[in-house]
Amino acid sequence: MKIGLGLYRHLLTPDNFTFAKQLGVEQIVVHLENYLADEVTHKVALSRGGSDGGGEAVDGYWTYDTFRELIDGLAEYDLKLAAIENFAVKQRSDILLAGPRRDAQLEQMKKMLRAAGRAGVPCFGYNFSIAGVWGWERGPFARGGAMSVGFDASTIDINEPIPDGIVWNMRYRRGKPGASIPPVSEEEIWSRVAYFLNAILPVAKEAGVKLAAHPDDPPMDTLRGTARLVNEPHKYDRLIEINASRSNTVELCLGSLQEMRNGDIYDVVDQYSRGNRIGYIHFRNVTGKVPNYREVFLDEGDIDMARIMRILKINAFDGVLIPDHTPEVHCNAPWHAGMAYAIGYARALSKCLIGEAHDVGTHRKSVPQRSGRICLLE
């Protein structure tokens, strides 16, 4: 497996490419949408936001030149593109909302996927959600008061309507004053994602591009009057059953899966890594579950990350995992320090497991029961 790094649009700089290389990273997951990140603090606005949600979405469709320039820029630092995370909201607003431009947007997205395949983009992550990531609050939630994000449904109105002109917590057009989008049922959201996947997956397969579905975060049953899609681990099975294409994969976010009320995260990781259905992995930890949870450092949460890594190693997972976000470390470069800690921790786990592979062998049934102590350097 490969330990990678996720970079938001404003972080795609030579300094951060050098940072990644010095950490031993070879693969980069890139966000091209604009999440209103502060270029000084590197805090990405993926929470409640203001009247425009998380910000004004970027315009237009990405082209062959967009992708090629990105890939070539990474290559100058001996880095490879592992995936692009999320389509831009303006590229898919009516796909999400079943609006009048849905088919036109799908045709443009097909062209974009063909261009991505020609350029060498291997994977697109996506989150099929109307409300998007909403309700998070920043606070000193991790060890030592480290700044992180958390969700507490008791402190917000989870039924707050979504203003007209906003979807996935970002503004895609000017809204009508006082208007909001109508409620969306579970049946309707599943109908919309099936329409999307059945239209797009044949083109993705032809282009050699995988689509990887991120689970809902927060994984509530409903949020802002709209049903969530993958808020329980078993719903990934339903998503795969829509279309059996090998391009139909999952973006396995460990934090989001652990936040869910039901399911065993170790069984989920085992199932999808054995089935070779993972596009890539978000390697992060949390404490608590919906309706109240917090993101914490990799070694202090409810997930035994060593156990996760062992399952991936036994199942010969050869993909990429990244710490998609992490608590900030108190210093002059809090984002960089937090990411360096997370990547170093993940790399150490991976290195320790190399020596354990022969000891574990093929005894898969022993995987979930084993202790988190994995290093044989004792």
Side-chain angles (χ1 to χ4, degrees):
M1 73 189 77
K2 310 168 189 72
I3 313 299
L5 176 67
L7 290 176
Y8 292 97
R9 181 180 176 125
H10 75 291
L11 294 174
L12 297 172
T13 65
D15 282 350
N16 286 318
F17 297 159
T18 300
F19 169 73
K21 194 63 182 175
Q22 289 177 353
L23 294 180
V25 164
E26 296 178 357
Q27 303 270 342
I28 304 293
V29 173
V30 169
H31 297 251
L32 292 178
E33 177 60 286
N34 173 36
Y35 304 123
L36 274 192
D38 186 307
E39 296 190 11
V40 176
T41 65
H42 300 157
K43 296 179 179 68
V44 177
L46 273 178
S47 55
R48 296 179 69 185
S51 61
D52 288 332
E56 182 81 20
V58 298
D59 290 316
Y61 289 83
W62 304 316
T63 66
Y64 172 87
D65 289 341
T66 306
F67 302 129
R68 196 63 252 173
E69 181 179 349
L70 173 62
I71 291 170
D72 290 345
L74 291 171
E76 291 180 12
Y77 294 83
D78 295 323
L79 299 170
K80 295 180 180 179
L81 179 68
I84 293 175
E85 180 141 347
N86 288 323
F87 299 105
V89 171
K90 288 185 179 180
Q91 296 167 358
R92 59 182 180 138
S93 56
D94 279 30
I95 296 172
L96 292 171
L97 295 170
R101 297 181 299 134
R102 175 166 65 173
D103 288 341
Q105 288 186 346
L106 284 168
E107 289 306 310
Q108 289 295 324
M109 191 171 285
K110 290 175 185 178
K111 292 179 183 178
M112 189 171 71
L113 284 174
R114 292 187 183 104
R118 290 198 310 273
V121 177
C123 181
F124 270 90
Y126 72 97
N127 173 225
F128 202 95
S129 170
I130 309 302
V133 180
W134 185 87
W136 284 358
E137 296 289 350
R138 284 178 52 80
F141 302 141
R143 181 175 55 227
M147 293 297 294
S148 184
V149 294
F151 179 80
D152 183 352
S154 69
T155 66
I156 60 176
D157 178 7
I158 64 170
N159 296 313
E160 180 181 318
I162 301 174
D164 181 63
I166 287 181
V167 69
W168 206 78
N169 201 32
M170 296 194 73
R171 181 163 296 285
Y172 66 95
R173 65 164 169 78
R174 185 183 299 275
K176 300 174 184 176
S180 59
I181 71 169
V184 178
S185 68
E186 183 177 9
E187 180 182 4
E188 177 62 22
I189 193 71
W190 279 98
S191 173
R192 293 180 190 182
V193 77
Y195 194 95
F196 165 71
L197 289 174
N198 287 327
I200 289 295
L201 282 170
V203 175
K205 180 181 178 181
E206 176 189 337
V209 178
K210 292 181 178 180
L211 299 185
H214 192 292
D216 285 302
D217 196 347
M220 302 287 287
D221 293 331
T222 62
L223 195 64
R224 308 191 77 180
T226 62
R228 307 295 263 173
L229 190 78
V230 181
N231 67 315
E232 296 283 356
H234 68 87
K235 292 184 179 181
Y236 261 149
D237 293 340
R238 182 177 177 181
L239 194 73
I240 297 300
E241 288 170 2
I242 290 173
N243 192 306
S245 170
R246 298 308 298 182
S247 289
N248 190 12
T249 69
V250 302
E251 183 185 331
L252 213 62
C253 179
L254 301 182
S256 298
L257 291 165
Q258 180 62 29
E259 295 156 12
M260 296 175 182
R261 293 186 182 94
N262 301 309
D264 183 289
I265 192 167
Y266 309 105
D267 290 343
V268 174
V269 173
D270 186 44
Q271 174 187 348
Y272 288 105
S273 57
R274 275 191 292 114
N276 195 25
R277 280 287 182 179
I278 299 176
Y280 57 100
I281 295 173
H282 282 175
F283 198 72
R284 63 178 167 90
N285 214 335
V286 299
T287 57
K289 292 180 176 291
V290 288
N292 190 332
Y293 61 85
R294 294 175 171 182
E295 294 189 10
V296 294
F297 289 107
L298 286 175
D299 61 328
E300 67 163 325
D302 294 339
I303 306 173
D304 182 344
M305 305 306 277
R307 190 167 161 188
I308 295 290
M309 194 74 84
R310 182 182 295 109
I311 294 170
L312 294 172
K313 186 71 72 171
I314 291 173
N315 289 339
F317 174 68
D318 192 37
V320 176
L321 57 86
I322 67 167
D324 51 326
H325 30 89
T326 184
E328 299 170 0
V329 174
H330 182 67
C331 64
N332 291 332
W335 179 87
H336 289 86
M339 278 295 169
Y341 179 84
I343 288 171
Y345 188 87
R347 283 175 59 83
L349 288 180
S350 180
K351 294 292 185 183
C352 285
L353 279 165
I354 292 174
E356 194 185 52
H358 295 296
D359 176 55
V360 174
T362 59
H363 300 291
R364 191 180 312 282
K365 290 184 180 179
S366 71
V367 172
Q369 288 78 34
R370 294 191 61 168
S371 155
R373 294 177 61 213
I374 63 168
C375 278
L376 301 184
L377 309 177
E378 299 177 350

